Amino acid sequence: MAEQFSLKTTQKNIKAEAEEDERERNSGNKNQMNAAIYPIKDRIPDVNSPQVKAWVAEIDWSKVPDIPVAKGLKDAPRFPDCPPKEKVDPTSCWWSCDGCVAPSDIMTCPIQNNWGLTYDDGPTEASRELMAHLQSKKISATFFIVGSRVLEFPDILKEEVAQGHHLAMHTWSHAGLTTLTNHQIVAEVRWTEKIIRDVTGLTMKYIRPPY
């Protein structure tokens, strides 16, 4: 009951903030983040920053698999260049190349004929039109958020929560995680977690890797 009350209170507060943002936007004062305290939009964050080093230091690296970084495609360096199936390391559980899933991955709805509606890569300028359509149909969805895009549209993120949608992470720069080092992955995830929490007060539980 306490958790339910807390969520409703958060949604109520965020709804009030979203309404204030709407008034500011209509008056020509667009709500934007202080970009100086975050990594650059759509760029892989710097792993040598003090913040990332602190996050890296929190991890017990003896429990992290040592899997080689995959090369990206020449024309799409953020997407992994998959080796032939017979050469894919079965212990790496590589969804991008062989469709492998871990036991903890959520792939299906637990109840037959139930389904979940999800959208990736926002927030964007199209998000409000989408939310209006969902609201007209009385449907809620899960938005997988690209952290760096919150820099431009923090008010949309607040509106998504205020309207009862769920949020989850979709990394900071939308790079294929298998093409990144472990420290880069930490930076991608934790910066996304931070900016969503800074804007909404919510700590994310789930992540959907790009590609």
Side-chain angles (χ1 to χ4, degrees), residues 70 78-83 85 88 92-101 175-179 209-211:
R78 293 190 175 194
F79 192 87
D81 185 4
C82 295
K85 277 196 172 183
V88 173
S92 66
C93 196
W94 195 353
W95 165 258
S96 301
C97 290
D98 63 2
C100 175
V101 295
L177 296 186
T178 50
T179 67
Y211 308 113

Side-chain angles (χ1 to χ4, degrees), residues 50-59 186-187 190-191 193-194:
Q51 179 63 83
V52 174
K53 286 183 176 180
W55 287 329
V56 167
E58 295 173 358
I59 297 172
V186 170
R190 294 301 299 270
W191 275 118
E193 179 186 54
K194 174 175 169 52

Side-chain angles (χ1 to χ4, degrees), residues 41 44 94 100 108 133 146 152 155 158 164 173 175 177 202:
K41 180 183 176 183
I44 298 169
W94 195 353
C100 175
T108 60
H133 177 72
V146 175
E152 189 174 358
D155 47 340
K158 293 178 183 178
S173 70
L177 296 186
L202 301 174

Side-chain angles (χ1 to χ4, degrees), residues 17-32:
E17 291 181 13
E19 290 172 351
E20 177 64 25
D21 292 339
E22 179 69 21
R23 287 192 290 271
E24 289 185 3
R25 192 165 51 253
N26 291 337
S27 67
N29 182 19
K30 186 177 180 181
N31 180 34
Q32 289 187 321

Side-chain angles (χ1 to χ4, degrees), residues 91-184:
T91 64
S92 66
C93 196
W94 195 353
W95 165 258
S96 301
C97 290
D98 63 2
C100 175
V101 295
S104 58
D105 289 342
I106 299 174
M107 298 298 297
T108 60
C109 293
I111 302 175
Q112 189 175 7
N113 296 325
N114 277 17
W115 52 276
L117 189 60
T118 67
Y119 296 93
D120 295 354
D121 302 349
T124 70
E125 292 178 346
S127 296
R128 284 197 177 91
E129 183 178 356
L130 172 59
M131 285 190 290
H133 177 72
L134 293 173
Q135 195 169 40
S136 71
K137 301 296 183 181
K138 298 182 179 179
I139 295 174
S140 61
T142 300
F143 289 91
F144 286 86
I145 303 300
V146 175
S148 70
R149 293 171 194 173
V150 179
L151 289 169
E152 189 174 358
F153 302 107
D155 47 340
I156 290 179
L157 202 67
K158 293 178 183 178
E159 291 170 28
E160 289 172 347
V161 176
Q163 292 183 24
H165 300 293
H166 296 161
L167 303 181
M169 296 182 290
H170 200 44
T171 75
W172 180 265
S173 70
H174 204 272
L177 296 186
T178 50
T179 67
L180 305 181
T181 67
N182 286 335
H183 288 195
Q184 287 175 321

Side-chain angles (χ1 to χ4, degrees), residues 14 17 33 38 150 153-155 157-158 194-202:
I14 291 176
E17 291 181 13
M33 300 289 296
Y38 299 99
V150 179
F153 302 107
D155 47 340
L157 202 67
K158 293 178 183 178
K194 174 175 169 52
I195 198 169
I196 295 175
R197 185 171 59 243
D198 288 348
V199 172
T200 68
L202 301 174

